Amino acid sequence: MSFRTRLYLTWAALFALFASFFLSFDLKFSIILDKLPNLVGLHLAPNGFLQGAALTLFLCLCSILVSSALGFVTALGRLSSSAVAFGIATFYASFFRGTPLLIQILLIYLGMPQLGLVPGAITAGIIALSLNYGAYLSEIFRAGILGVPHGQREAALALGMRDNAIFWHVTLPQAMRTIVPPATNQFISMLKDSSLISVMGVWEVMFLAQSYGRSSYRYIEMLTTAAIIYWVMSLALELIQARMERHFGKGYVRRG
């Protein structure tokens, strides 16, 4: 029996145990089927915007793009010889890694209006997620860049390449091999932490699950459905991670 076959059988057995565990709660599937379209995001919210899983994915996609840019710039600041750039980068990373995400969300949502800026709940959520995860990603980017052997740069210099070209075409592509796995892990954590934005009344998956559970007194059905939706979205990110790992690891594959 091949490895892949044994893997599929293992997953099938674990999934069967997982399903039997939740079925033991005597779930009322009619409620799940009734609320599932809204939880998935097939219907728009009353304000005409996205809701459910569609809104969660929108929040995470925007936050992934912004946090990646922030993390990359902060990593360059940490590697810079400029005391100002290094100081700004380290202060930013220290603060947003050292304080809870929920506090950051509330500070941005409730504090910015006192400065004359009134962000919407979705905007405040994207800003908070981006700032928080940008701080963590900065360390991942920095470690990946430092992990590239110095001999690679020396070899590129010997070929007459400029520093900028060396960084973009030699150092960074090799660093991505070690950056992708932990970075994707952070994005999956972001996907789950986006549920904290529900405290601002954003109609994402967790907010809807809690609202429907409260109105129908069937919390387990709604929370179980929300858990499965989050899991499916996480699996999609894992598949993207696997493809990116294969892409950036081509030069390290053993050839028979």
Side-chain angles (χ1 to χ4, degrees):
M1 188 180 295
S2 66
F3 174 85
R4 188 176 295 273
T5 302
R6 292 195 300 270
L7 172 63
Y8 291 154
L9 289 175
T10 301
W11 267 71
L14 292 174
F15 184 79
L17 290 174
F18 179 83
S20 63
F21 171 73
F22 282 101
L23 289 175
S24 66
F25 291 128
D26 189 25
L27 302 178
K28 193 172 182 180
F29 288 98
S30 60
I31 293 179
I32 295 177
L33 293 176
D34 180 52
K35 304 300 184 183
L36 186 60
N38 290 338
L39 286 170
V40 173
L42 298 181
H43 301 153
L44 296 178
N47 61 2
F49 197 65
L50 300 173
Q51 67 172 337
L55 178 55
T56 298
L57 287 174
F58 173 78
L59 289 168
C60 289
L61 178 60
C62 294
S63 301
I64 285 171
L65 295 174
V66 178
S67 64
S68 297
L70 279 173
F72 183 67
V73 172
T74 304
L76 294 182
R78 291 288 304 273
L79 296 171
S80 172
S81 58
S82 168
V84 175
F86 183 84
I88 294 174
T90 51
F91 181 87
Y92 158 68
S94 176
F95 178 81
F96 283 97
R97 288 193 301 162
T99 54
L101 175 58
L102 181 58
I103 291 179
Q104 295 168 18
I105 292 173
L106 294 176
L107 282 175
I108 292 171
Y109 185 57
L110 302 177
M112 290 182 69
Q114 298 185 28
L115 302 176
L117 301 173
V118 186
I122 294 176
T123 303
I126 292 173
I127 292 173
L129 287 173
S130 300
L131 289 172
N132 182 272
Y133 278 91
Y136 288 99
L137 288 171
S138 67
E139 287 300 292
I140 295 174
F141 279 115
R142 185 176 73 92
I145 292 170
L146 291 176
V148 177
H150 189 66
Q152 297 292 320
R153 184 175 186 277
E154 294 177 345
L157 286 172
L159 293 174
M161 296 181 67
R162 297 179 180 273
D163 286 337
N164 287 338
I166 293 173
F167 179 78
W168 290 106
H169 298 291
V170 178
T171 303
L172 190 59
Q174 294 186 65
M176 288 299 294
R177 178 173 173 264
T178 55
I179 288 173
V180 167
T184 307
N185 187 58
Q186 291 297 315
F187 296 148
I188 292 174
S189 295
M190 179 193 294
L191 183 68
K192 295 177 293 183
D193 283 346
S194 66
S195 61
L196 295 175
I197 300 176
S198 63
V199 300
M200 298 183 293
V202 177
W203 287 45
E204 47 79 59
V205 175
M206 184 54 66
F207 178 84
L208 291 179
Q210 291 176 323
S211 299
Y212 293 147
R214 191 180 305 113
S215 62
S216 63
Y217 298 99
R218 304 294 297 193
Y219 285 97
I220 297 301
E221 281 84 351
M222 293 298 97
L223 294 178
T224 300
T225 305
I228 293 175
I229 290 174
Y230 279 115
W231 187 22
V232 170
M233 291 190 291
S234 297
L235 286 173
L237 285 176
E238 291 176 14
L239 292 175
I240 294 173
Q241 172 189 343
R243 295 197 58 152
M244 292 182 69
E245 285 183 359
R246 286 195 297 269
H247 174 74
F248 289 107
K250 289 178 181 177
Y252 297 87
V253 177
R254 290 186 177 181
R255 303 184 184 277

